[in-house]
Structures are given as structure tokens and as C-alpha cells.
Amino acid sequence: MAKKFASQGDMTEKEISFTQVGDGLYAFTAEGDPNSGVIIGDDSVMIIEAQATPRLANKVIECVRSVTDKPISHVVLTHYHAVRVLGASAFGAQQIIMSEKARAMVAERGQEDWDSEFERFPRLFEGHESIPGLTWPTTTFNGRMSVYLGKRRVDIMQLGRAHTAGDAVIYVPDQNVMFTGDIVEYHSACYCGDGHFHDWPGTLERIRAFDLDAIAPGRGDALVGRDMVNAAIDSTADFVRSTYRPAARVALRGGTLKEAWDAVRAECDPKFGDYAIYEHCLPFNVARAYDEALDIDTPRIWTAARDKEMWEALSDA
């Protein structure tokens, strides 16, 4: 019998928090589930991350309506993963923004990601019948673009590869606040199955260089204050390095994926074993670290067949 991912047994509803991270800026968080962000402009609202389904997106909308009645005009998606994007239709926004690379990843692997995440996260995909299909952007950019919500400027930027090759961050300069997507996590494991371990720490340092007053991370609590911001950047970098290095050592000496798994567990379990979705992320993280050490630059597409192949390689894990 094939092994199952830890997230398949997680059916407990999470407690939602809606935290102000700046004037007119909010983080929607839910105990390690995917976060969303809210930016209120002069005349309209921008949403960061659309959730996995319209059902979950409506929970974000309820929180938005608790603080403003302005229309939602923009949805910005930091990357292509299904749990971040498939709820977009609920917002009724005229503009859906992704990086050009993230859009290419929707075309290349969006359906496969939807299929595999649907199997891995049954709770997040409750109400999936209302998803109209893959989420495609109306607007894409390379490098950087700015959106003006009245007088409020919002900068959407690619600072480097990390969680995926198409990652974007959203910066609100008048408050010195950033929405980082899954480049930064707080007491939640990084999912590295589509990641770029060599690039990720440098991307984190480019975020740190903004000397931010607050971050809304991809998962975990809102980070308010520079001490909390820097602690989260440090712990995310430690997670990425602690995952990659032991797996790479095994791969480069010709060891097996199972040996890499054991080496990563020995390094990471004591430090990160209590992080949200840690057990779920671990097999993907080890497999991707092993591949990257062998110079496979583009992450392989995750499919049901590949999941089975991975579990067979980790059959004693």
C-alpha cells in the first residue's frame, strides 16, 4: 500500500486571525494554512493570494468586509501553486497579476500541481466543485511593476528564485511592509518541492535589505516589528540550508534518496519537527534537494506517478 502524505490526515479546522500589519494592510492567517494579504487603497482593495477554493476565498472576503466596503480590484498571486490561486474567481477582480514566469509555470505544470495538491490537502479543497478551472493572470510582468490604488503605490517585484522560479513579493513603500509569499515562513516548514536551494538564501537577504517594519509571510503568524521580521528570515534561511546540505552530501557521494532522507531528518527534526506541515513537506524537500545537488536546475513536475516513485524510494522511511 502506498504511503500517504501527513496532510491527508489533517482535517481539523484552523483558527483564522486577521492582523493589521500597517495602515490599511492586513494579514489573513490560519495556523499554518496558506496566508492571504489585504491592501486597502483610496478607492479599492488588492488581495494577495487567492486561497485554494472560492469557499476559502470567501473567508478572506468576510474579513475584508469587516474593515472596508471598497471593491476588490486586484488579486496578486506570488506564484502558481494551486493552494494559492484556485480561489481567485470569488474575488471578482478585474486584474489578476502574476510574474510572467509564474504564468509559464501554470501552463507547464499547473494542472499537475492542482491534481497532486488536491490529493495531498483534502481539507483545503473542500468545496472544490466551485473552482472554474486553472487561474490565469490578466496581467504579467518581468522584474518589477507598480500598481496605484489611488495615491497608494504598490510595488510587485521579483527578487530572485526561492520557493519557485516565478516568485514575486509585494511591497507597500508608504508603510515599509512586504507580502513575501512562501519565500518567508514563520514556524511553518518551507515547501521546497519546486524550490531553488542555491538561490533562496540570497533572495532572503534581498528582502532583509529593505529593513522592513512588517512582513505578511506565506504561512504562520504576521511578523510585526523588525526583530520578528529578522528572526523569521533567519529561521527560514536555516531551514533551507539545513535541508539542502545533508541531502547534497549524500547525493554527491552517490548515496540513495533514503540515505538523504535519514540525513535530513537527523539535522532538521530537532530544530523544525514541531513546525506546521513539516512532515508533509519533508519528502518533497529531500527529493528536490537531492536533485538540485545533482545539477537538475528545473524542478521535476510532481505527478501521482512521481509521488509513488518517491515513496518506493523511501519505503523504509
Side-chain angles (χ1 to χ4, degrees):
M1 181 176 176
K3 287 205 172 194
K4 293 188 175 183
F5 298 104
S7 54
Q8 288 175 294
D10 179 10
M11 299 301 292
T12 304
E13 199 73 16
K14 306 302 182 185
E15 182 178 348
I16 291 170
S17 298
F18 194 59
T19 306
Q20 188 166 13
V21 293
D23 185 15
L25 308 178
Y26 295 87
F28 174 99
T29 66
E31 297 186 287
D33 276 359
N35 293 342
S36 287
V38 177
I39 301 173
I40 302 174
D42 295 329
D43 302 311
S44 68
V45 177
M46 175 183 285
I47 302 294
I48 315 299
E49 314 288 44
Q51 297 287 318
T53 63
R55 173 182 173 270
L56 287 173
N58 281 320
K59 294 187 177 185
V60 178
I61 293 169
E62 287 176 12
C63 289
V64 172
R65 293 295 165 239
S66 73
V67 293
T68 183
D69 60 1
K70 294 175 183 177
I72 295 169
S73 57
H74 297 75
V75 171
V76 181
L77 304 170
T78 66
H79 59 286
Y80 84 100
H81 284 154
V83 293
R84 297 288 178 184
V85 307
L86 293 179
S89 62
F91 295 101
Q94 291 184 329
Q95 294 289 321
I96 299 175
I97 301 170
M98 285 181 177
S99 71
E100 183 64 32
K101 180 61 177 178
R103 187 195 185 281
M105 296 182 81
V106 174
E108 177 191 45
R109 59 183 69 200
Q111 187 63 54
E112 291 85 351
D113 184 71
W114 181 357
D115 293 343
S116 60
E117 291 200 5
F118 180 81
E119 292 297 325
R120 298 176 206 159
F121 291 105
R123 176 174 52 80
L124 293 182
F125 283 97
E126 290 177 353
H128 64 90
E129 300 86 356
S130 60
I131 300 170
L134 289 172
T135 297
W136 296 95
T138 62
T139 303
T140 62
F141 70 98
N142 284 305
R144 174 180 175 142
M145 70 176 289
S146 294
V147 174
Y148 288 85
L149 302 175
K151 293 180 180 179
R152 168 163 268 180
R153 191 182 91 213
V154 180
D155 296 329
I156 308 168
M157 301 174 287
Q158 294 174 280
L159 298 180
R161 301 191 302 183
H163 178 65
T164 73
D167 291 342
V169 302
I170 297 85
Y171 177 59
V172 185
D174 67 73
Q175 295 293 296
N176 196 33
V177 171
M178 187 175 286
F179 299 80
T180 64
D182 286 312
I183 300 173
V184 178
E185 312 287 25
Y186 185 67
H187 284 280
S188 180
C190 300
Y191 172 75
C192 308
D194 279 318
H196 294 271
F197 285 96
H198 283 100
D199 295 2
W200 202 323
T203 303
L204 287 168
E205 289 310 309
R206 284 186 281 279
I207 290 172
R208 192 196 303 273
F210 280 80
D211 197 19
L212 298 160
D213 291 313
I215 281 178
R219 294 177 186 261
D221 293 345
L223 309 170
V224 179
R226 294 181 184 185
D227 289 346
M228 199 172 182
V229 164
N230 284 308
I233 291 172
D234 289 343
S235 65
T236 301
D238 187 28
F239 186 98
V240 170
R241 291 188 175 103
S242 296
T243 301
Y244 180 71
R245 286 173 177 169
R249 282 194 291 268
V250 171
L252 291 169
R253 66 169 171 75
T256 66
L257 188 64
K258 172 59 170 61
E259 290 171 329
W261 164 278
D262 291 338
V264 173
R265 291 213 79 128
E267 177 76 18
C268 290
D269 282 9
K271 292 194 284 188
F272 309 115
D274 63 344
Y275 276 26
I277 68 166
Y278 174 75
E279 291 292 341
H280 166 76
C281 291
L282 193 65
F284 301 101
N285 295 356
V286 173
R288 173 58 192 148
Y290 188 94
D291 279 357
E292 186 168 328
L294 298 178
D295 292 329
I296 299 174
D297 183 67
T298 300
R300 291 189 285 163
I301 297 173
W302 287 99
T303 62
R306 186 166 176 224
D307 288 351
K308 182 180 179 183
E309 173 192 316
M310 178 181 66
W311 282 128
E312 288 174 351
L314 298 174
S315 58
D316 297 326

